[in-house]
Amino acid sequence: MITLTSWGPIDLRNPKPADMNLRAIAAQLAKINRWAGATQLPVSVAKHTVLVASLCDIEYRPFALLHDMHEALLGEIPQPVKVTLAEMGAADHLDRLQAALDEAITLAAGLPWPWPAAATAAVKAADLRALATEWRDFTNHPLPDWASHYPPSPRALRGSSWAMDEQALLSELHTHLPAMHRYLGGLAS
C-alpha cells in the first residue's frame, strides 16, 4: 500500500479506478522534480504534464494530461535508469506496475483503456518535444542529436512554485476532462 499526501492508501498490486483521486495526484506531481533534480531550477512533473498537453492537438490533450500521473505513486524515474533496468532484465516489473496504474488512472478519468494508437503516438511525440524544451531551458547542456526530430517549444519555460504548477495542472484537467469535476470541485470554470 502507498499513500499520497492527501489520499490513500492505494494497493499497488491491484490499483482500482476508485482509488485514484486526480486532485491528490496533481498536488503530488507538483512536488516531484523531473530529471532527478539535475536542473538549474526545479521542474515539476506537473509543469511537464501541462507542457506536453499544450504541444498536443486538442483531441489528445486529455491523454497527455494523464501520461505521467503514475509518477505520483512511483516517482519520476529518469530514462537512463529505465534503460539500465531493461539491460539488467528488471524493467518488466516496473512496466507492469506502471501499466496497471495507468489503466486505473485512465479509467478514473473516464477515458478508454487502452489508449487509441493515435493518442499514444501524439503524446509520445509531444513528450519528446517537452523533453527537448526542458533540456534547452533548464540544463547547461547543448541539445542532443535526437532533438532535431522533436524541436523544442518556441516558448521558453520559466521556473515556478509547487502551488503554481499544481494550479496549472488542475486548471488543464478541469478544461480537458469534464468528467473530472467530481475530483476538481471548487475550481472556477
Side-chain angles (χ1 to χ4, degrees):
M1 299 290 219
I2 191 167
T3 60
L4 299 172
T5 302
S6 61
W7 188 259
I10 296 168
D11 182 356
L12 290 175
R13 292 174 191 243
N14 188 26
K16 295 178 176 37
D19 295 338
M20 301 300 146
N21 180 307
L22 299 184
R23 184 187 249 323
I25 289 172
Q28 194 89 355
L29 291 177
K31 297 172 187 164
I32 298 173
N33 283 328
R34 300 232 330 123
W35 300 73
T39 54
Q40 295 170 331
L41 295 169
V43 182
S44 75
V45 176
K47 181 184 210 65
H48 167 78
T49 299
V50 170
L51 175 61
V52 172
S54 76
L55 296 171
C56 283
D57 290 338
I58 193 123
E59 69 264 31
Y60 303 124
R61 287 183 187 167
F63 296 97
L65 291 168
L66 304 180
H67 86 281
D68 277 343
M69 284 201 166
H70 59 266
E71 292 182 6
L73 300 159
L74 301 178
E76 202 276 336
I77 302 170
Q79 191 63 30
V81 174
K82 292 177 183 178
V83 169
T84 302
L85 287 172
E87 290 169 352
M88 296 170 64
D92 183 54
H93 299 293
L94 180 61
D95 291 344
R96 284 187 288 139
L97 180 56
Q98 180 180 320
L101 290 168
D102 286 344
E103 178 179 5
I105 290 164
T106 298
L107 294 174
L111 296 177
W113 183 265
W115 290 7
T120 300
V123 171
K124 181 63 176 172
D127 196 25
L128 289 168
R129 285 192 64 203
L131 177 63
T133 304
E134 294 162 347
W135 192 297
R136 177 196 66 203
D137 295 344
F138 294 113
T139 76
N140 291 322
H141 308 292
L143 282 173
D145 292 338
W146 60 261
S148 65
H149 301 290
Y150 301 97
S153 168
R155 192 189 75 194
L157 297 178
R158 299 195 188 321
S160 52
S161 69
W162 287 355
M164 290 170 62
D165 291 351
E166 178 183 352
Q167 194 56 44
L169 180 52
L170 289 171
S171 178
E172 289 297 307
L173 289 168
H174 188 267
T175 299
H176 298 290
L177 290 169
M180 296 302 300
H181 290 208
R182 66 182 167 180
Y183 299 105
L184 304 175
L187 287 180
S189 296

